[in-house]
């Protein structure tokens, strides 16, 4: 049996500064760092002691910081892979979100969506994003480890899940698996039927538990 835990990094500086993320190399906020520790603890509670674990991460700072918290608890070294990065928004990266909103050209309801030009110089198309995430996932899934943790970004998560269920790239033009920041999506393949199940999508119970704990401490 194989289980993949796909983690989206928690709150980063570009979230609170309301600037475009993408390849802009923002870092986790103090809230994000605390959430990353909660993510690590939630994963530790789910994965049996002594089990072999592999940890993969986007190489951007906010995902590396998240992966480092996980690595501390599992005693493993993150394997950094730039193919797990968020979609590049080209010239919009690091600029105010409203700057992007004024220029962004959404994909058509009908017609070419994956290779659609969003009107941003240097930006990736969804086709390019899908191709690199699929390539990274193919390599990860060729490894025999039963428990694999992937730390990535909200936009990239759609293609992690789509590749897991073997959705053809040409069919992902309308796909969107929206999850919160700091979430854990659990994917499992059984040894008998080899079904690839999405056990849960965007679980944030660990963050709610942490918030309740901090609220309780504040009342003491």
């Amino acid at each position: 049996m194989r289980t993949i835990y796909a983690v989206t990094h928690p709150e980063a500086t570009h979230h609170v500064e309301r600037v475009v993320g993408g390849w802009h190399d923002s870092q986790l906020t103090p809230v994000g760092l605390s959430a990353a520790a909660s993510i690590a603890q939630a994963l530790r509670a789910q994965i049996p002691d002594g089990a072999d674990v592999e940890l993969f991460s986007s190489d951007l700072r906010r995902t590396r910081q998240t992966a480092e918290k996980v690595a501390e608890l599992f005693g493993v070294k993150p394997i950094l892979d730039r193919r797990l990065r968020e979609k590049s928004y080209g010239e919009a990266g690091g600029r105010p979100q409203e700057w992007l909103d004024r220029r962004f050209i959404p994909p058509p309801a009908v017609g070419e969506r994956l290779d659609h030009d969003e009107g941003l110089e240097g930006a990736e198309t969804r086709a390019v994003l899908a191709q690199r995430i699929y390539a990274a996932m193919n390599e990860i899934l060729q490894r025999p480890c039963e428990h694999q943790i992937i730390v990535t970004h909200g936009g990239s998560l759609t293609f992690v899940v789509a590749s897991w269920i073997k959705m053809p790239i040409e069919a992902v033009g309308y796909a969107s698996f929206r999850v919160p920041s700091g979430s854990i999506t659990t994917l499992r393949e059984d040894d008998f039927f080899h079904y690839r199940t999405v056990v849960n999508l965007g679980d944030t119970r660990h963050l709610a538990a942490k918030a309740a704990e901090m609220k309780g401490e504040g009342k003491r």
Side-chain angles (χ1 to χ4, degrees):
M1 184 176 295
R2 181 197 300 269
T3 305
I4 288 180
Y5 310 86
V7 174
T8 53
H9 71 81
E11 183 184 87
T13 51
H14 74 274
H15 291 145
V16 297
E17 294 169 358
R18 294 194 57 76
V19 299
V20 179
W23 287 14
H24 172 59
D25 207 11
S26 61
Q27 61 185 329
L28 296 184
T29 64
V31 169
L33 287 168
S34 177
S38 296
I39 291 167
Q41 291 164 2
L43 291 170
R44 182 66 279 179
Q46 294 181 57
I47 298 175
D49 290 339
D52 289 334
V53 176
E54 289 183 330
L55 173 60
F56 304 87
S57 175
S58 155
D59 65 340
L60 291 176
R61 183 162 41 171
R62 55 194 184 268
T63 40
R64 290 203 321 266
Q65 289 176 303
T66 307
E68 286 165 3
K69 293 292 186 182
V70 176
E72 290 173 8
L73 283 190
F74 286 91
V76 297
K77 184 176 180 179
I79 300 171
L80 302 181
D81 191 335
R82 65 182 288 117
R83 294 173 300 179
L84 295 172
R85 286 185 176 193
E86 181 61 279
K87 179 182 180 298
S88 170
Y89 288 92
E91 63 177 339
R95 291 180 181 266
Q97 182 65 43
E98 55 87 19
W99 186 94
L100 169 61
D101 294 342
R102 291 199 308 268
R103 293 164 175 80
F104 185 81
I105 302 172
V110 178
E112 179 52 58
R113 295 172 58 86
L114 286 176
D115 285 315
H116 168 71
D117 183 350
E118 298 169 342
L120 304 167
E121 184 177 348
E124 288 183 305
T125 62
R126 279 173 61 87
V128 171
L129 171 60
Q131 287 160 4
R132 63 174 168 83
I133 296 289
Y134 271 55
M137 287 293 291
N138 284 339
E139 289 187 16
I140 290 170
L141 293 175
Q142 286 175 12
R143 302 168 69 102
C145 189
E146 291 187 358
H147 296 275
Q148 295 171 307
I149 301 166
I150 300 173
V151 184
T152 188
H153 307 259
S156 302
L157 190 279
T158 282
F159 301 99
V160 169
V161 176
S163 66
W164 171 253
I165 61 175
K166 292 184 174 289
M167 182 183 292
I169 287 183
E170 59 270 20
V172 301
Y174 291 94
S176 178
F177 298 100
R178 297 181 65 85
V179 300
S181 299
S183 67
I184 301 172
T185 291
T186 304
L187 311 170
R188 184 167 295 131
E189 179 181 11
D190 71 86
D191 289 333
F192 188 76
F193 291 106
H194 297 283
Y195 290 142
R196 291 189 172 185
T197 304
V198 180
V199 179
N200 59 51
L201 182 69
D203 187 2
T204 56
R205 287 174 293 178
H206 50 283
L207 301 183
K210 181 65 175 180
E213 176 187 330
M214 294 180 67
K215 185 176 180 181
E217 290 178 354
K219 291 180 179 180
R220 292 176 185 173

